[in-house]
Amino acid sequence: MGPLLRTVELFYDVLSPYSWLGFEVLCRYQNIWNINLQLRPSLIGGIMKDSGNKPPGLLPRKGQYMANDIKLLRHHFQIPIQFPKDFFSVIIEKGSLSAMRFLTAVSLEHPEMLEKASRELWMRVWSRVKFSSEIPIQYHAAAEKAGMSAEQAQGLLEKISTPKVKNQLKETTEAACRYGAFGLPITVAHVDGQTHMIFGSDRMELLAFLLGKLKIQH
């Protein structure tokens, strides 16, 4: 009998660059750490409002730190992440409601494609493509690049405004809030009957410790 498979949930939003970093680390290590990784598309705007938090971009010192931090993390994690030139318009003004509804629809209809579809949207927001959350063709193209057919992509676009998808995104976001989220990403590890909520992408060493994959030398 092999080692016990632990469940780890990742709550994320594609507007969050640190969510992308945490996502890639967990995707890389899920087999090494023997975890059941569950991806949870969530709405960062709803979590910010519920917790009373503010985006880093609205606080100049945080925003400057974040811009410098991302440059370093790009090289450290080998992820092609960079600040959007139209940062305020894309990240602050337009938000991610339609994008996260789209990924919620993917999770409901084609869960096996959620990892690739999520990565494609991060690439569009934080890397190679000028992104607009108002243009459905962005999601259609992302879905096809993730490996879906044109028919599957169109079907997802038709579902993003349905009550089922809206309610699922709302429920997932509320679940993140119940775990104590005040931003994203949060990683929730279920280990030995206990639940641990970890905020951010720079706490993966702590997650490895909780999973028994890292021994601290004293």
Side-chain angles (χ1 to χ4, degrees):
M1 185 175 180
L4 182 65
L5 191 69
R6 272 75 175 271
T7 295
V8 173
E9 301 176 84
L10 176 69
F11 293 80
Y12 65 95
D13 186 312
V14 295
L15 283 197
S16 164
Y18 295 104
S19 286
W20 190 9
L21 299 173
F23 167 89
E24 294 294 357
V25 170
L26 289 174
C27 286
R28 292 171 186 176
Y29 278 83
Q30 60 182 320
N31 293 326
I32 297 171
W33 287 348
N34 193 40
I35 59 175
N36 172 27
L37 178 59
Q38 298 183 359
L39 300 176
R40 306 291 196 208
S42 313
L43 188 63
I44 195 168
I47 292 170
M48 289 288 191
K49 182 178 180 180
D50 185 77
S51 64
N53 199 0
K54 293 182 179 180
L58 295 182
L59 301 171
R61 290 185 188 177
K62 273 190 177 182
Q64 185 57 55
Y65 176 83
M66 182 178 171
N68 294 332
D69 196 35
I70 284 176
K71 289 178 183 178
L72 293 173
L73 292 169
R74 173 188 177 95
H75 298 290
H76 177 65
F77 285 102
Q78 293 296 296
I79 296 170
I81 189 171
Q82 60 189 11
F83 244 62
K85 292 181 180 179
D86 50 350
F87 173 82
F88 193 84
S89 173
V90 171
I91 306 302
I92 305 300
E93 290 183 343
K94 292 178 180 175
S96 60
L97 181 60
S98 60
M100 299 319 294
R101 282 180 178 170
F102 175 77
L103 288 179
T104 298
V106 175
S107 72
L108 291 171
E109 300 294 325
H110 305 286
E112 74 284 357
M113 302 301 296
L114 182 56
E115 178 184 332
K116 289 183 178 179
S118 298
R119 185 176 290 112
E120 277 304 315
L121 284 189
W122 267 305
M123 291 291 289
R124 288 168 183 277
V125 177
W126 289 99
S127 188
R128 63 180 177 224
V129 179
K130 185 175 180 180
F131 183 79
S132 173
S133 60
E134 304 302 318
I135 303 176
I137 195 171
Q138 296 270 8
Y139 307 120
H140 201 289
E144 289 195 46
K145 193 162 183 65
M148 297 183 206
S149 67
E151 292 75 18
Q152 287 174 321
Q154 184 59 38
L156 290 170
L157 287 172
E158 292 170 358
K159 287 182 170 64
I160 62 175
S161 296
T162 62
K164 182 180 180 180
V165 168
K166 290 180 178 179
N167 290 336
Q168 182 60 58
L169 178 58
K170 182 173 182 288
E171 288 173 9
T172 306
T173 302
E174 289 174 347
C177 291
R178 287 194 297 273
Y179 280 129
F182 50 87
L184 290 175
I186 64 164
T187 304
V188 180
H190 304 274
V191 180
D192 299 332
Q194 294 186 313
T195 299
H196 305 271
M197 190 276 279
I198 300 172
F199 172 72
S201 60
D202 57 351
R203 311 285 282 172
M204 294 304 167
E205 188 173 271
L206 177 58
L207 176 61
F209 172 74
L210 291 171
L211 294 170
K213 304 301 179 180
L214 178 68
K215 302 298 182 184
I216 303 298
Q217 299 297 321
H218 296 285

